[in-house]
Amino acid sequence: MLRPRQENRFQILTLFPNAIARKLLLMLIFILIFWVIYLASKDHTKLLFSLENHITLNQGNIFKKSSHSEAPLRPAVSPKETELRIKDIMEKLDQQIPPRPFTHVNTTTSATHSTATILNPRDTYCRGDQLDILLEVRDHLGRRKQYGGDFLRARMSSPALMAGASGKVTDFNNGTYLVSFTLFWEGQVSLSLLLIHPSEGVSALWRARNQGCDKIIFIGLFANRTSNVFTECGLTLNTNAELCQYMDDRDHEAFYCVRPQRMPCEALTHMTTRTRNISYLSKEEWSLFHRSNIGVEMMKNFTPIEVIRCNKSENIKKNCQIGMKTPFPSGYTLKKMWITAFCKQIKFNETKNINDCLERKLIYLMGDSTLRQWIYYLQKAVKTLKYFDHHGAGIFKTHVLLDVERHILIQWKKHGHPFVTKKLFSVKDENYIPREIDRVAGDKNTAIVITLGQHFRPFPINIFIRRAINIQKAIERLFLRSPETKVILKTENTREIHQNAEMFSDFHGYIQNLIIRDIFVDLNVGIIDAWDMTIAYCTNNAHPPDYVIQNQIGMFLNYIC
């Protein structure tokens, strides 16, 4: 009679009489055990990863410099980590822009009563020298201020030479500032320091910006056969009406519209915007943004300085390339040409040179109308590039330039919500920039240019931060599948200083510029510092003239060729 153990063994032998079959069974059991152990360890790794808090801060007075030069690519960032990064950046910004309540304009910064003094003045200066100015700010009653936070713009220029450059402002947060100018060229140089907004105005703008999204009204057009209906839309909507929700679940981006009766949400085809008659600034605060109080000169009585050659040797610069860190100022303009301070440029002045650079290139321009200007300029400057009609409507449709013979494609596509314009634009091919980046295969002949900011200024800063982080993650995914793809960031242009300050002040753009530089600090991307360039050119226009666009494109060509 068989014992139980022998009986079980006998049953197995009966089921698998062949020795090879028994070996295969044992291998399958081993593989199954290994797979269970692997899955358990993978879940454990995910748990540890989700608990990490990766927030690097670097830039200007707001952000501390990162102690490392290169961080590993990490495309799989959890939603929780993104929220922590947004919260961390917001908290640091709130600390650097504290509330500055005031009861009367007389207690705010006065350009007239403040004093600027050249440190170690000389009769003549050498080209390449640094000139420093100490600024002590006072209020309208002549009293010394004990805190900083004023939004200042420093610039030097030589109108006869069509030359200009930004100055660097260092805030000591005690009512004193150091304003530094690098003397890039020879000749008579004029110095300027504008008080764009006093610190009290900066604080008011910051508070008002983050109050809510309702300063701009979005109006959506729903089309269903012969019936068209307009309803209110927005990044948030305070209503009890039934809503259409347009969600990006992965990136936590959301847009809403009031759902029209007897129409599906998919019937949304077009969008336009209007300014709502609402403000979060008090009457006293608005007085700081009167035309006479914006952009006031603080160095009226300064005479031009004399700069000579001095036969000083110049540092040999490397050719401009992706990944270089850009200082501020990053260059200067001379005879309307932009000259970089940190790398050696190749001049692309002739059509043949541009064509040779662009041959076999796929170029994707993603952003606002300041990048659409590139399409317009290239079409005029390079006659072999032909416009391809994308069968859209209006100026915000996708724009494409083609050179079939040289296999060149250049495409501009606007970024997703928020997009602020009174003109009606289609949303059927609308996509957020991270999704557009995900659709690019990428290779050594592919380049992406991104700009973001102007349309975000009227909205709370967390919306901009989230979008910037999502773009960063999309670029990391791109570099994993195609490390050779070239990515260039164009920072915001400065714009008209007397437009509605609450919504469009350059202060908002300045903060966004710092955020962009911080979030992308460890990525191998090129920077076109349009902020610096438009200060140097003193354009004061969201859409600068063609000679500025030409020089922005010139920097781009230096990065990709």
Side-chain angles (χ1 to χ4, degrees), residues 285-323:
E285 289 169 338
W286 264 116
S287 68
L288 300 178
F289 306 108
H290 188 272
R291 290 180 68 94
S292 61
N293 292 328
I294 298 179
V296 184
E297 182 60 66
M298 305 184 83
M299 298 174 61
K300 282 183 180 178
N301 300 323
F302 274 65
T303 57
I305 62 169
E306 190 70 30
V307 181
I308 59 177
R309 183 183 293 273
C310 294
N311 294 319
K312 292 180 72 174
S313 59
E314 293 188 21
N315 294 329
I316 299 174
K317 295 182 288 188
K318 295 181 179 179
N319 288 343
C320 302
Q321 55 187 326
I322 296 284

Side-chain angles (χ1 to χ4, degrees), residues 387-404:
Y387 184 78
F388 177 80
D389 188 353
H390 219 266
H391 296 277
I395 61 174
F396 299 116
K397 65 181 180 180
T398 300
H399 287 54
V400 176
L401 295 180
L402 292 173
D403 183 334
V404 177

Side-chain angles (χ1 to χ4, degrees), residues 175-325:
T176 62
Y177 300 81
L178 182 68
V179 184
S180 302
F181 294 97
T182 302
L183 305 177
F184 289 113
W185 64 87
E186 305 157 38
Q188 280 203 334
V189 177
S190 299
L191 305 177
S192 169
L193 182 63
L194 300 181
L195 174 62
I196 306 296
H197 303 309
S199 53
E200 295 79 10
V202 165
S203 173
L205 288 177
W206 182 244
R207 188 201 72 249
R209 174 173 187 170
N210 294 306
Q211 292 283 119
C213 299
D214 50 358
K215 292 188 280 289
I216 298 292
I217 306 171
F218 291 85
I219 304 167
L221 170 63
F222 289 77
N224 191 4
R225 297 186 180 180
T226 59
S227 176
N228 291 337
V229 178
F230 287 94
T231 72
E232 184 175 352
C233 303
L235 300 171
T236 61
L237 284 179
N238 185 18
T239 177
N240 294 323
E242 183 181 0
L243 297 179
C244 291
Q245 301 182 43
Y246 304 96
M247 307 289 291
D248 186 325
D249 292 326
R250 183 194 69 187
D251 292 341
H252 290 79
E253 302 273 14
F255 193 77
Y256 306 90
C257 288
V258 173
R259 182 171 184 168
Q261 292 184 358
R262 295 181 294 278
M263 277 195 184
C265 293
E266 294 78 11
L268 178 65
T269 62
H270 289 78
M271 191 72 59
T272 184
T273 65
R274 296 290 184 271
T275 302
R276 197 190 300 269
N277 187 22
I278 187 172
S279 173
Y280 293 105
L281 296 175
S282 68
K283 184 178 179 181
E284 292 76 17
E285 289 169 338
W286 264 116
S287 68
L288 300 178
F289 306 108
H290 188 272
R291 290 180 68 94
S292 61
N293 292 328
I294 298 179
V296 184
E297 182 60 66
M298 305 184 83
M299 298 174 61
K300 282 183 180 178
N301 300 323
F302 274 65
T303 57
I305 62 169
E306 190 70 30
V307 181
I308 59 177
R309 183 183 293 273
C310 294
N311 294 319
K312 292 180 72 174
S313 59
E314 293 188 21
N315 294 329
I316 299 174
K317 295 182 288 188
K318 295 181 179 179
N319 288 343
C320 302
Q321 55 187 326
I322 296 284
M324 284 185 162
K325 303 303 179 186

Side-chain angles (χ1 to χ4, degrees), residues 52-53 55 79-89:
E52 288 181 355
N53 181 18
I55 301 176
K80 183 179 179 181
E81 182 174 351
T82 298
E83 299 305 322
L84 286 173
R85 289 182 70 188
I86 295 170
K87 181 182 178 183
D88 187 80
I89 293 172

Side-chain angles (χ1 to χ4, degrees), residues 322-390:
I322 296 284
M324 284 185 162
K325 303 303 179 186
T326 56
F328 189 88
S330 61
Y332 61 100
T333 173
L334 182 65
K335 297 181 180 177
K336 286 192 175 181
M337 296 302 296
W338 179 254
I339 302 169
T340 58
F342 64 95
C343 63
K344 183 180 177 182
Q345 290 169 278
I346 300 170
K347 298 298 181 185
F348 292 90
N349 296 327
E350 298 180 3
T351 299
K352 183 182 183 305
N353 293 340
I354 299 175
N355 271 331
D356 289 345
C357 174
L358 294 178
E359 188 166 3
R360 304 196 67 83
K361 296 289 195 302
L362 301 176
I363 298 168
Y364 300 97
L365 310 177
M366 304 177 183
D368 56 35
S369 54
T370 66
L371 266 185
R372 191 186 67 225
Q373 285 186 278
W374 287 26
I375 288 276
Y376 294 158
Y377 178 83
L378 285 167
Q379 189 180 8
K380 290 184 290 186
V382 185
K383 301 301 181 184
T384 53
L385 287 170
K386 304 301 180 184
Y387 184 78
F388 177 80
D389 188 353
H390 219 266

